[in-house]
Amino acid sequence: MTNGDDREIYASLLRRGRRLELATLGWNVVGVIVLAFAAVEARSVALAGFGIDSLIEIGASTVVLWDLADVAQSRRRRAMRLIGIAFAALAIYLIIQSTVVLFIGFHPHHSPIGIIWTAVTAMVMFGLAAGKAKTGVAMDNPVLRTEGRITMIDGVLATAVLADWY
């Protein structure tokens, strides 16, 4: 392979990485709105918390897009730090939400919109996470790989929220 071929492959991977992040970003922006309505309808702490998780994912995706826009890769260290902060925020959110729900023993009402959105979100997030992992490895981009883990956690959380209803 020539350097031209390598640049072409990298450019293709870069476009794929951006598309994956834009898809994640778009999905989560819509998700925040859907989840806000569903959480109020069902009086669900889990759905409200999942909406907060979507906000964290929006921030993380924005950081990755910012990193991928840097051709010289001078933003990588700061981007990794910001993704680390997103992971920490997600962990804090999980601890607080779990503790609150356990102590108050609150049981939400069912929300058909919430159930459908959350089920589809789980599938979408698992697919996006796999794509980010594969693309991040191929690009040797730790920011994309790491944010893919946050997307995987998003899918796991969606599954956990679904399990909360049953």
Side-chain angles (χ1 to χ4, degrees), residues 1 4-14:
M1 261 201 259
D5 289 340
D6 289 345
R7 280 192 292 266
E8 210 172 291
I9 291 168
Y10 187 81
S12 174
L13 290 168
L14 187 59

Side-chain angles (χ1 to χ4, degrees), residues 71-143:
V71 183
Q73 299 179 351
S74 61
R75 299 177 182 166
R76 178 109 344 127
R77 184 178 176 138
R78 179 180 277 166
M80 286 299 290
R81 190 174 303 124
L82 290 169
I83 296 294
I85 290 168
F87 259 122
L90 185 55
I92 291 167
Y93 145 72
L94 288 171
I95 290 167
I96 292 170
Q97 182 194 13
S98 301
T99 303
V100 167
V101 170
L102 268 174
F103 280 117
I104 64 174
F106 183 76
H107 298 287
H109 302 293
H110 288 282
S111 166
I113 293 169
I115 292 170
I116 291 166
W117 181 263
T118 305
V120 174
T121 294
M123 292 182 289
V124 168
M125 291 301 123
F126 288 135
L128 288 169
K132 291 176 188 184
K134 182 178 177 180
T135 305
V137 167
M139 291 177 69
D140 192 28
N141 185 307
V143 176

Side-chain angles (χ1 to χ4, degrees), residues 18-109:
R18 287 179 181 150
R19 282 192 307 269
L20 287 164
E21 287 306 327
L22 287 170
T24 304
L25 189 61
W27 187 271
N28 282 294
V29 166
V30 172
V32 166
I33 296 164
V34 171
L35 290 167
F37 284 109
V40 169
E41 174 193 358
R43 295 182 13 197
S44 171
V45 175
L47 282 175
F50 192 50
I52 291 169
D53 169 65
S54 293
L55 288 173
I56 292 168
E57 181 75 32
I58 288 167
S61 290
T62 303
V63 168
V64 175
L65 287 168
W66 175 70
D67 174 65
L68 293 176
D70 184 23
V71 183
Q73 299 179 351
S74 61
R75 299 177 182 166
R76 178 109 344 127
R77 184 178 176 138
R78 179 180 277 166
M80 286 299 290
R81 190 174 303 124
L82 290 169
I83 296 294
I85 290 168
F87 259 122
L90 185 55
I92 291 167
Y93 145 72
L94 288 171
I95 290 167
I96 292 170
Q97 182 194 13
S98 301
T99 303
V100 167
V101 170
L102 268 174
F103 280 117
I104 64 174
F106 183 76
H107 298 287
H109 302 293

